Amino acid sequence: MAMVCLSDFEAYAKKYLPKIAWDFFAAGADDCITRDENILAYKRIHFRPRMLRDVSIMDIRTKLLGTEISFPVGIAPTGFHQLAWPDGEKSTARAAKAMNTCYITSTYSTCTLEEISAAAPGGLRWFQLYIHRNRAVSQQLVQRAEALGFQALVLTADLPYTGKRRDDVRNGFRLPPHMKLKNLEGAFEVCKISLLDPSVTWNDIHWLQSLTHLPIIIKGILTKEDAELAVRHGVQGIIVSNHGGRQLDGGPATIDALVEVVEAVQGRVEVYLDGGIRKGSDVLKALALGAKCVFIGRPALWGLAYKGEEGLQDVLRILQDEFRLSMALAGCASVSEIGQHLVQFSKL
Amino acid sequence: MAMVCLSDFEAYAKKYLPKIAWDFFAAGADDCITRDENILAYKRIHFRPRMLRDVSIMDIRTKLLGTEISFPVGIAPTGFHQLAWPDGEKSTARAAKAMNTCYITSTYSTCTLEEISAAAPGGLRWFQLYIHRNRAVSQQLVQRAEALGFQALVLTADLPYTGKRRDDVRNGFRLPPHMKLKNLEGAFEVCKISLLDPSVTWNDIHWLQSLTHLPIIIKGILTKEDAELAVRHGVQGIIVSNHGGRQLDGGPATIDALVEVVEAVQGRVEVYLDGGIRKGSDVLKALALGAKCVFIGRPALWGLAYKGEEGLQDVLRILQDEFRLSMALAGCASVSEIGQHLVQFSKL
Amino acid sequence: MAMVCLSDFEAYAKKYLPKIAWDFFAAGADDCITRDENILAYKRIHFRPRMLRDVSIMDIRTKLLGTEISFPVGIAPTGFHQLAWPDGEKSTARAAKAMNTCYITSTYSTCTLEEISAAAPGGLRWFQLYIHRNRAVSQQLVQRAEALGFQALVLTADLPYTGKRRDDVRNGFRLPPHMKLKNLEGAFEVCKISLLDPSVTWNDIHWLQSLTHLPIIIKGILTKEDAELAVRHGVQGIIVSNHGGRQLDGGPATIDALVEVVEAVQGRVEVYLDGGIRKGSDVLKALALGAKCVFIGRPALWGLAYKGEEGLQDVLRILQDEFRLSMALAGCASVSEIGQHLVQFSKL
Amino acid sequence: MAMVCLSDFEAYAKKYLPKIAWDFFAAGADDCITRDENILAYKRIHFRPRMLRDVSIMDIRTKLLGTEISFPVGIAPTGFHQLAWPDGEKSTARAAKAMNTCYITSTYSTCTLEEISAAAPGGLRWFQLYIHRNRAVSQQLVQRAEALGFQALVLTADLPYTGKRRDDVRNGFRLPPHMKLKNLEGAFEVCKISLLDPSVTWNDIHWLQSLTHLPIIIKGILTKEDAELAVRHGVQGIIVSNHGGRQLDGGPATIDALVEVVEAVQGRVEVYLDGGIRKGSDVLKALALGAKCVFIGRPALWGLAYKGEEGLQDVLRILQDEFRLSMALAGCASVSEIGQHLVQFSKL
C-alpha cells in the first residue's frame, strides 16, 4: 500500500491499532461535531491563487519565537504515544528533530521528559502542562522541563475537566498495565486526571511566570475576549485549539476561530493553531488567516502507528511537500508572501 | 449495553417497545421536517467558550417561578406513559421528584392526577391542560390540579386539532383496551380529542385566570407577536414549543424561534423551551439564548421504556452531568453566568 | 396499503404503471434539477404559526376569476391521461367536478374536448392551448373550447420547443397506437409537437384576444419582467410554472419565482402556481406568498393511475384535509387570513 | 446503449478505458474538491428565463478573436489523446474542424503539430504552450505553431509545478512506451515536466510577444488582480481555468471566478472559461456571466474514447443541440441576447 497522503496513514492506523487505542485517539466529545467541523471548515475556504510569480526557489522555513524550523508544522501535544508505537515519545522526539521542527511534549507522556530529551538531544521541544491541585507537582514539572532544555511552556487552558468521549466510556478506556504516565510517577497516582485544578484562572499565569524564565504559550483559546486576556497577562503565544474536538462539543472549528483571535491579537504575540490539518493546503489556509505555525495531533499518531519514528517522518515529509507545492501553486515563494488576500470564505 | 448518552436510550426504546407505541412516541407531522429540525438546529449554533475561569464549584440549580430545581431540565407533558412502562406517570413523578425537577403532567395521563400526586408527594408538578368544548370539564380538571398541589397550569395552545402523523394513521393507533385516559373518565368518552375546543382564543386566558390562583404558562408559542400577546394577557411563562414537531410540519425549530420570543418578552415573564434536547450542551445553548429552563419529551419516554422510574432518573442524571460539564468547559460556574455571548449562529 | 399522503399514490403509480408511462410522467429536463428543486424549495420556507385564534369554523373556499371552488387546488394541464387510466381525461373531469374544483384541460388530451365536457357537464374547466404554426388550428380549438363552456384559456408560454427529457429519448417514448391526440385529429398529424410555433411573441396575445371573449391566463412566467409584460398585455391571470421542471433545467423553483412575480403584479391580476405541491402545507405556503390557487400535475396522474376518478378524488380530498388542517394549525380560519406574515425563508 | 447526454460518454469511458488512463484523465489534485466544485457550482446558478420571444430562427454562432465558430464551445488543451483513441490528436483535430470550432492543441500531444495540422487542414486551432527552462524549446514550438497556421498561443500559467494527483502517484502513471510527447522529441527527454520553468513571471509575456505575431491568450487566471495584470501585459484573451481541478485543490470553481474576472476586465479582452461544462445549459450560464466561449476538457476525451473523431463529434453535437435548446427556452435567439439578467446565484 502506497502512503501518498495523510488519509493513508489514518486508514493504516485504524486497521492495525487495537480498537481501544484507535478509539481513544479518534475520540471526540459527545457527537463529535466539533472534531469533524475542524476538518470540514477548511472546505469552506477557497484560495485566490496568483499566477506567474517566480516560484523557482521556495523558502518554506519559519520561526517559532525566534527559533527556525523547517516548515510551519509542529507536533501537537498528545498523550500516550506508546499506545501507537513501543518506543512512544522517544520516537516522536527523534522524528521531530530529524525533520527540524518543534515537538510539544505532553505531560501525559509514557516516557519521562528525561528519556525524551536523551532520545533526540538538541531537538526543539516545548513542554505542555496542566496546573495540578497540588501546585508543587506543576512546579516540579516546570523546573524539570526547563532544566532539560525545553524552550517554552504550553499551558492547556481547556481542560478543567475531561470532555465526555462516549467510546472511551463504553470501552472503559485506561492505559494498559505496562504503560505509565511516567512524568507523574511518585507525584501522585497514575491517570487521576481529576487531580487537575478546575479553579485555575488567569492569575495563575502570573504564578507560572514566577517559576520560570521560559516563554509561556496558552493553548485552547477560541475567542477574541480570551485572546485579549492572554496578551494582557503576558503570554508569548496562543494556540487556537479545541483539543481536537475532545472537550466541548459544539465549539467552533479552529480555522474559523483563528480569524477572530488573529484580529484581536494584532500581532502582539504569535498565534498558532491545531485541529483538522490533513493536507499541505490546510497549512497554507491557516497561515493565510494569520497562524504563524500549525501543529498536528492525530496525524502524528498515525505516523507513529505506521512505522514509529520513520512513519512520523513520512507524515511530516508529505505535509512539507504538499505545503511547498500549495504555496508555489498559489504564487508564494516564501512564507512571508502568504497573506489574507490568498483566501476567501465560501458563501456556501 | 452501556447507557452512555440519550441516543442509547432511544435505541433501546426503538428495539423493545411495541412498534405501534414507538411509532406513536416518535411520530412527527407529515414529513417530520419540523421534528427533525428541532434537533438539527442545535448543530448550527456554535459555542464561544471562555477559558481559565474558576469552575471548581459548579452551581447548576435554577428556579422555576421562584421554586428551585436541581438543574434547568424538566419533564415536558407527553401522554400515555403506560405505553412505555406499566406504572406510567407514577414512575415519571417519582423520577422527577428524586431528581428534584419539575414534571409537567399531561391531561392525557394514563394515571389519575390523584394517583400521580400520591406516588411522589411534595414533588414539583405543573398541570398541562387543553380547553374542552365542555368548559366544565376543564374547570373541574383545573380545580382538581390546584387542590392536589400542582403549582402551575400549562395551557397547550397549538392543538386546536391534532396534527397528521402518518404512521399513527397507518397503524390505526389507539390506546390498548386496558389503558384509559383516566383524568377524563366520566367527563366524556375516552380519546375523543375532537372534544377539544378549536374556538379558543386569547380571551379564554382570562376565563382560566378566573378559575384559579395558579400561575398560567402558555405552551406552543413560536412568534414574537404571540409572545407579546401572551405577556399582555397576563401569563406567567411561555414554553416555546412546536409540540415536538407533531402539529404543523414546516414550523420553525424551537431553538430558532426562542430567539425572537426572548427578544419580544424582554424578561417580563419566564421563557422555557421544549423540542430537540438530546445533550447537556443543547440545554446550555437554550439557556444562552434566553430560556430559563428546558423540558424533555421523548427522551423521558425512552428512559421510562428502559427501566421505568430508574431509567428516567438515568436519563436526567446523564443530562445533568453533561450540562454541568458543558457549563464548566464553556467557562460558567453557575447558570447566572450563562448568556448570549456564549453562542453564535453558524453562517453555514 | 393505506393511502395516507400523496407519496403513497406516487409509490403506487411507480409500481403499477408501465415503465415508459411512469418515466414520461416523472421526467424532468436534463439532470432534473429544477424538477426536484420545485419540491425542495418548500423545505426552505418556515411557517410562523399563530396560536389561540378561533379556528372552529374553517372556510377554505376561494374564487378563480370570480368562480368559487371548494379549496385553492386545481388540476394542472398534463397530457395523455389514458396512459394513466383507460377513461383518461373523462375521469379527470368527473373527479374535478365532484370535488368542485377547476380542471385545466390540456390540448394534448387523449379524449376530445367534447367527450370531456359531456363526462362532467357543468364542471369548471379551463382550456390549455399552444399557438400552432397553422393559426387556424389554434383558432378552431379556441372556438370549440369556448362553445363547450370552458371558462378561460390558458396559454402555455414556455414550450417553443420541447425540453430534453433523457428517459423519454432513451425509451423512444411515443403514444401507444390505440391512443390519439384526439383534439388535433384532422388538423394535422398526431404528436408533431414541432408544429407548435416558436415565433410566438407577446403580440400574439392580442391575436388570441381577438378570437374569444374568454379570459386569458398565461402559464410559464418566472420573472418579474415577464409578469409585468403579461399584465400590460391584458391577461387575466398568470400561472407561475416551469412546466414541472420539464423544459429549461436550471430554472428557479416555482415557489421561489412566485415571490418576485407577486411583487411585480401588485394584485392587478390573479397569480397561480404549479410545481412541487405534495402536501396541504405546501398549498398554504404558496398562498401565503401570494398565489390565489395552486394546480397539481403529477399527483393528479398518480391518483388516476391508482383508481381513475375515484383515485383522483382521494388525492384531492387528502390535499383538502391537509390544507384545512395546516390553515387551522397556523391560526387561519379562512383563506382571507393567509398572508406573508405566516412564512419566512430559512437562512439555511 | 443510447448516447443521450455527456454523462453517457463518461460512463462509457470509465468502463472501457484502461484504469490507469481513466484515472489520469479523471484525476484532480488532493481531495478533488476543486474538480468537483467546478461542476457543483453550476447547480447554484439559476436561470431567469424569458418567455414569448421569437426563437424560431436560432443563431448560436460566435467569434473567437474575430474568427467565427459554429457555437461557443471549443476543445480545451489536454494531453495524451492516444491514451483515449489510437489516432490521438489527429482525430480531435478532425472532429473540431467538422464541427467548425476551435481546438486548443496541447504541447503534450502524442501527435506532432505537423501531423495534427495535416489531419484537418484549415481547421481553427490555437497552440497551448508552457515556458521551458530552455527558452529555445519554447521559441521553436511557437515558431512551428505559427508556421503551421495555429491562430493564437495559449500560455498556461497555473503549472509552475505539477499538482498532486493521488491516483497517478498510486498508479505510477506514465505514458506507455509506444506513445511519445512528439512535439518535444529531440528537444529533451520525454515527460520531464520538471523542465518547465517555475521562475516565469509576467515579464515573460513580453518575451513571448517578441517571438510571434500571434495573439496571446493566458490560461489559468482566477482573480481580478491577475486579470488586470493580464490586460496590462497586452494579452488578447484570458481563459478562466483551474486546470480541471488538477493543480491547486481548494481553488474556486471556474464559473465562480469568472464573475470577478469579467468585472475586472470590463470588455478590454475576451474572457473564456473551462472546467465543469457538462450540459448545454452550463454553456449558457457561462455566457450569461460574461464568457465569450467555453472549452471542454474531459468530455472531449470521453468522446474520443467512445469512437474517436466520430465520438467527439457526437459530444459536440449534443452540447450544440442542448445549448441551442437552452437558449431558446431562456428566450434568446442569438448569443448577443445572452446577458447577466438571465441568471442569478442561488441563496442556498
Side-chain angles (χ1 to χ4, degrees), chain C residues 164-182:
Chain C
K164 181 174 180 177
R165 303 156 198 171
R166 293 175 186 171
D167 282 345
D168 287 351
V169 180
R170 289 184 216 285
N171 293 337
F173 173 77
R174 47 180 314 173
L175 275 189
H178 61 286
M179 295 185 203
K180 307 279 180 220
L181 296 182
K182 287 204 176 162

Side-chain angles (χ1 to χ4, degrees), chain C residues 31 44 157-158 160-162 164 166 170 198-202 218 220 222-223 225-226 229 247 249-250 252 260, chain D residues 2 4-5 8 43 46-56 279 281 318 322 325-326 328-330 348:
Chain C
D31 288 322
R44 296 192 291 265
D158 60 4
Y161 304 98
T162 305
K164 181 174 180 177
R166 293 175 186 171
R170 289 184 216 285
S199 78
V200 171
T201 66
W202 290 99
I218 189 155
L222 293 166
T223 60
E225 294 90 338
D226 280 347
L229 285 170
Q247 288 294 101
D249 201 28
E260 86 174 62
Chain D
V4 174
C5 60
D8 294 334
K43 301 193 198 299
H46 284 169
F47 287 114
R48 304 184 69 253
R50 304 296 305 275
M51 302 299 144
L52 296 187
R53 288 154 165 253
D54 180 349
V55 289
S56 56
K279 296 187 294 186
S281 58
I318 285 173
E322 289 181 350
L325 180 57
S326 295
L329 297 181
L348 187 66

Side-chain angles (χ1 to χ4, degrees), chain D residues 25 28 67 69 88 105 131-132 137 153 157 166 174 197 210 213 221 223 248 268 292 302 306 345:
Chain D
F25 290 143
T67 302
I69 54 175
T105 309
I131 295 181
H132 297 82
V137 173
L153 297 177
R166 293 175 186 170
R174 48 180 313 174
D197 188 349
S210 74
H213 298 293
I221 299 304
T223 59
L248 179 61
R268 290 174 288 171
K292 181 80 176 171
W302 304 334
Y306 176 56
F345 282 83

Side-chain angles (χ1 to χ4, degrees), chain D residues 66-342:
Chain D
T67 302
E68 186 179 296
I69 54 175
S70 66
F71 78 123
V73 176
I75 312 291
T78 53
F80 310 161
H81 289 195
Q82 286 190 354
L83 282 177
W85 188 254
D87 258 14
E89 289 81 4
K90 289 184 284 185
S91 292
T92 314
R94 287 187 204 113
K97 184 182 172 194
M99 291 297 293
N100 190 22
T101 191
C102 177
Y103 164 30
I104 309 181
T105 309
S106 166
T107 287
Y108 292 125
S109 301
T110 43
C111 304
T112 63
L113 296 185
E114 289 74 12
E115 290 168 330
I116 293 166
S117 293
L124 174 61
R125 282 181 290 278
W126 293 353
F127 177 62
Q128 175 274 332
L129 80 159
Y130 298 103
I131 295 181
H132 297 82
R133 288 183 197 267
N134 179 349
R135 299 288 156 111
V137 173
S138 297
Q139 181 169 354
Q140 183 243 35
L141 282 167
V142 166
Q143 288 163 349
R144 273 166 70 195
E146 187 164 3
L148 286 164
F150 284 80
Q151 295 190 18
L153 297 177
V154 175
L155 178 67
T156 295
D158 60 4
L159 202 137
Y161 304 98
T162 304
K164 180 174 180 178
R165 303 155 199 172
R166 293 175 186 170
D167 282 345
D168 286 351
V169 181
R170 289 185 216 284
N171 293 337
F173 173 77
R174 48 180 313 174
L175 274 188
H178 61 285
M179 295 185 203
K180 307 277 178 221
L181 294 182
K182 286 205 175 164
N183 289 313
L184 301 173
E185 281 189 300
F188 45 67
E189 283 175 53
V190 167
C191 212
K192 292 232 171 146
I193 290 176
S194 61
L195 294 181
L196 300 186
D197 188 349
S199 78
V200 170
T201 67
W202 291 100
N203 291 329
D204 292 281
I205 302 279
H206 298 311
W207 169 76
L208 206 56
Q209 287 161 335
S210 74
L211 299 182
T212 180
H213 298 293
L214 293 179
I216 293 171
I217 315 291
I218 189 154
K219 174 172 173 280
I221 299 304
L222 293 167
T223 59
K224 62 186 172 197
E225 293 89 339
D226 280 348
E228 181 62 34
L229 285 169
V231 173
R232 284 208 213 143
H233 284 80
V235 305
Q236 275 75 21
I238 290 170
I239 304 183
V240 174
S241 171
N242 51 32
H243 217 108
R246 298 161 77 85
Q247 288 293 102
L248 179 61
D249 200 29
T254 50
I255 192 70
D256 287 337
L258 178 68
V259 176
E260 86 174 63
V261 169
V262 165
E263 196 174 304
V265 164
Q266 293 281 345
R268 290 174 288 171
V269 302
E270 296 189 350
V271 178
Y272 320 113
L273 166 149
D274 67 24
I277 298 287
R278 297 294 179 267
K279 296 187 294 186
S281 58
D282 296 337
V283 182
L284 182 56
K285 288 175 183 175
L287 264 69
L289 291 167
K292 181 80 176 171
C293 179
V294 303
F295 294 90
I296 54 169
R298 293 182 185 94
L301 296 162
W302 304 334
L304 285 178
Y306 176 56
K307 278 192 187 170
E309 172 186 346
E310 193 184 328
L312 176 47
Q313 282 191 57
D314 288 348
V315 162
L316 287 166
R317 204 173 292 114
I318 285 173
L319 268 180
Q320 203 174 64
D321 290 344
E322 289 181 350
F323 173 63
R324 185 189 298 108
L325 180 57
S326 295
M327 271 180 62
L329 297 181
C332 300
S334 77
V335 294
S336 64
E337 296 174 26
I338 300 169
Q340 209 169 336
H341 57 277
L342 275 191

Side-chain angles (χ1 to χ4, degrees), chain A residues 7-83:
Chain A
S7 307
D8 294 333
F9 293 83
E10 182 178 19
Y12 183 96
K14 185 165 189 180
K15 187 167 175 186
Y16 291 103
L17 280 181
K19 180 181 184 317
I20 199 171
W22 166 261
D23 281 354
F24 172 75
F25 290 142
D30 295 340
D31 288 322
C32 302
I33 292 172
T34 295
R35 179 194 68 178
D36 297 342
E37 269 292 295
N38 272 351
I39 292 173
L40 289 170
Y42 287 99
K43 301 193 197 300
R44 295 192 293 264
I45 300 170
H46 284 168
F47 287 114
R48 304 184 69 253
R50 303 297 304 276
M51 302 299 144
L52 297 186
R53 287 152 166 256
D54 180 350
V55 289
S56 55
I57 298 165
M58 297 296 301
D59 183 356
I60 62 173
R61 293 168 301 168
T62 191
K63 286 183 176 169
L64 287 183
L65 300 178
T67 303
E68 186 178 298
I69 55 175
S70 65
F71 77 122
V73 176
I75 312 291
T78 54
F80 310 162
H81 289 196
Q82 285 188 354
L83 283 177

Side-chain angles (χ1 to χ4, degrees), chain B residues 12-190:
Chain B
Y12 183 96
K14 185 165 190 179
K15 188 167 174 187
Y16 291 103
L17 279 181
K19 180 181 183 317
I20 199 171
W22 166 261
D23 281 355
F24 172 75
F25 290 142
D30 296 339
D31 287 323
C32 302
I33 294 172
T34 295
R35 179 194 68 178
D36 297 342
E37 269 292 295
N38 272 351
I39 292 173
L40 289 171
Y42 287 100
K43 301 192 198 299
R44 296 191 293 265
I45 301 170
H46 284 169
F47 287 114
R48 304 184 68 253
R50 304 296 305 275
M51 302 299 144
L52 296 187
R53 286 152 167 256
D54 180 348
V55 289
S56 56
I57 298 166
M58 298 296 300
D59 183 355
I60 63 173
R61 293 169 301 166
T62 191
K63 286 184 177 168
L64 287 183
L65 300 178
T67 303
E68 186 178 298
I69 54 176
S70 66
F71 78 124
V73 176
I75 312 291
T78 54
F80 311 161
H81 289 196
Q82 286 190 354
L83 283 177
W85 187 255
D87 257 12
E89 289 80 5
K90 289 184 283 185
S91 292
T92 315
R94 286 186 205 112
K97 184 181 172 193
M99 291 297 294
N100 189 23
T101 190
C102 178
Y103 163 32
I104 308 181
T105 309
S106 167
T107 287
Y108 292 125
S109 300
T110 41
C111 305
T112 62
L113 297 184
E114 290 73 11
E115 290 169 330
I116 294 165
S117 293
L124 174 61
R125 281 182 290 278
W126 293 353
F127 177 62
Q128 176 273 333
L129 81 157
Y130 298 103
I131 295 181
H132 297 81
R133 288 183 197 268
N134 180 348
R135 299 288 157 108
V137 173
S138 296
Q139 181 169 353
Q140 183 243 37
L141 283 167
V142 165
Q143 288 163 349
R144 273 167 70 195
E146 187 164 3
L148 286 163
F150 284 80
Q151 295 191 18
L153 296 177
V154 175
L155 178 67
T156 297
D158 61 4
L159 203 136
Y161 304 98
T162 305
K164 181 173 179 178
R165 301 153 199 174
R166 295 175 185 171
D167 282 346
D168 287 351
V169 181
R170 290 184 215 286
N171 293 336
F173 173 76
R174 48 181 313 174
L175 275 188
H178 61 285
M179 295 185 202
K180 307 279 178 219
L181 295 182
K182 288 205 176 162
N183 288 313
L184 300 173
E185 281 189 301
F188 42 68
E189 284 174 50
V190 167

